Amino acid sequence: MGSDKRDNRTLGLATSLTLMALLALSCAGVALGWGLPALMGVLASTSLLTLALSRQSVRAVDDEAQQAPDSGQVPTSTSEPALVEGSPEAQASEAGETEATAAADSPSDAAVEPAAETTEDEEDTPDGLALTLPEELPADASEMPPSSHLDYAALAGCITNAIDPLAELKRFVGDIRTREAEAEHHPHEAPSELERYAARMLEEAGLFEAEPKLPSLTAVQLKSSHLIYLRCTDRSLPYAAKLRILKLESAINAIRFASVSLAEDATQEEAYQLNQ
């Protein structure tokens, strides 16, 4: 095949030289005044020379195309070894190309799902913690309603089970007056209106009076009417002592009537109207 290419090149070169010589001879004839035949010879020589050069160029292009690698084959890089068809490396490469193609064809999750909008409060809140606001509280602590209320059942059980019921009544009134005095600093512990009414009724009945002296007393609550009576073991008592005991019994039962008939937030005026 190499000898054929050399023969073709030699033949082309000889033809070109011959045509060039014919062209030179024709030009000389024109210069010498040979006339029209010389001019026709020049034109013919020029055309043949052009045709010969064109054919030689076409052959050179064909030879280069035959020497170039097949256009259907992809040249491999010199830095990476060629993969043998059917080898594990070739199969892995084909699998990677398939996954890359599928990923390129399918939309990504980030493109489909919009990013969640975050508010300013969520950015400032730590993870796993919810931002909760406290309920509105009264601006002034004095506006808070008192947490205490008159518990007559507890009072009745205390004095009926006590050895000295008058001492328990004094302790009951003293607690109310103490919380009333500290209401400015501890408004939520202030006594209710009915508690103040109970303390005033016992004080007006002579609970803290020194005279007349009272004998040892016990408190008894009747099962039918739930009224409380004060009893003593002495057979004879001064009239003033009997009157004081009756006032204390009336005060205790007046407290009971107010507690069972009025609401917890009733006022002292309502309790006095009920007593009258």
Side-chain angles (χ1 to χ4, degrees), residues 154-194:
L155 176 63
C158 181
I159 63 178
T160 55
N161 295 321
I163 299 176
D164 188 357
L166 297 183
E168 296 298 330
L169 290 174
K170 291 178 180 179
R171 188 178 295 107
F172 171 74
V173 175
D175 177 68
I176 294 175
R177 294 310 184 191
T178 301
R179 288 188 287 121
E180 185 179 8
E182 296 178 354
E184 183 179 356
H185 302 286
H186 305 283
H188 61 283
E189 296 180 359
S192 64
E193 288 290 305
L194 289 183

Side-chain angles (χ1 to χ4, degrees), residues 203-269:
E203 290 173 348
E204 291 177 352
L207 178 62
F208 293 95
E209 293 180 0
E211 296 292 339
K213 291 184 178 181
L214 298 179
S216 178
L217 301 175
T218 58
V220 179
Q221 185 176 22
L222 301 181
K223 293 183 179 180
S224 57
S225 62
H226 300 286
L227 297 176
I228 291 180
Y229 293 91
L230 298 176
R231 293 181 178 180
C232 66
T233 58
D234 294 352
R235 290 176 178 259
S236 61
L237 288 175
Y239 176 76
K242 290 181 179 180
L243 185 60
R244 185 182 176 190
I245 293 174
L246 291 175
K247 288 182 179 180
L248 291 173
E249 286 180 350
S250 299
I252 295 172
N253 291 316
I255 296 171
R256 174 187 176 275
F257 291 142
S259 65
V260 298
S261 302
L262 300 176
E264 293 183 357
D265 57 350
T267 62
Q268 296 187 52
E269 289 77 10

